[in-house]
Amino acid sequence: MYAKETETDVQKWFLACSAGDIPQDGGACVKYNDKQIAVFNFSRRNEWFATDNLCPHRQQMVLSRGMIGTQGDEPKVACPFHKKTFSLKTGECLSGDDCTITTYPVKVEDGFVYINVASL
Ligand code: FES
């Protein structure tokens, strides 16, 4: 049984794009106000993820163009600049560096991608 969504809950979900806008096993960048969010369609896993587009290593807006893959069972994205990898679930840097990215809940309904922006 699901808890009833309140109006406030509904407002936390940002309609980001159409699911068809994001390439299979790839990502794209969407803007929420002045924030850039990377959205990933990890179709091999049948999962969607959203993270900061900003790579914290050298402050580059590039993660949506990163290569996605898995490390063990952990879905990850590799920054295209210096290949540091981040968990798509937790945002933890899997390359051993002391930096993280923020991850956001994603849902796909009726062909549209929604990102939970409650933490922004
Ligand atoms: S800017 Fe992303 S790893 Fe260096």
Side-chain angles (χ1 to χ4, degrees):
M1 183 169 166
Y2 297 101
K4 190 170 184 293
E5 271 192 337
T6 66
E7 192 171 328
T8 310
D9 291 333
V10 170
Q11 289 169 355
K12 291 175 187 169
W13 290 97
F14 161 58
L15 171 54
C17 59
S18 166
D21 292 339
I22 312 292
Q24 290 199 344
D25 292 311
C29 178
V30 298
K31 279 191 88 178
Y32 176 72
N33 296 329
D34 57 354
K35 181 85 177 170
Q36 290 189 24
I37 300 176
V39 184
F40 299 97
N41 174 7
F42 206 149
S43 52
R44 285 195 309 273
R45 293 174 63 107
N46 197 26
E47 289 182 285
W48 289 76
F49 298 97
T51 71
D52 289 333
N53 193 36
L54 180 73
C55 178
H57 176 234
R58 292 280 167 83
Q59 308 299 309
Q60 300 291 325
M61 293 288 191
V62 290
L63 290 181
S64 65
R65 292 188 278 128
M67 181 89 78
I68 57 176
T70 51
Q71 183 168 321
D73 191 42
E74 193 73 14
K76 65 177 184 177
V77 59
C79 176
F81 270 64
H82 311 100
K83 310 295 185 238
K84 295 195 182 297
T85 58
F86 299 90
S87 165
L88 290 169
K89 282 187 174 170
T90 66
E92 175 192 356
C93 181
L94 302 173
S95 307
D97 292 67
D98 189 19
C99 54
T100 58
I101 56 175
T102 301
T103 60
Y104 306 92
V106 186
K107 65 180 181 181
V108 178
E109 285 180 0
D110 299 327
F112 292 97
V113 180
Y114 297 84
I115 299 171
N116 190 304
V117 291
S119 62
L120 292 177

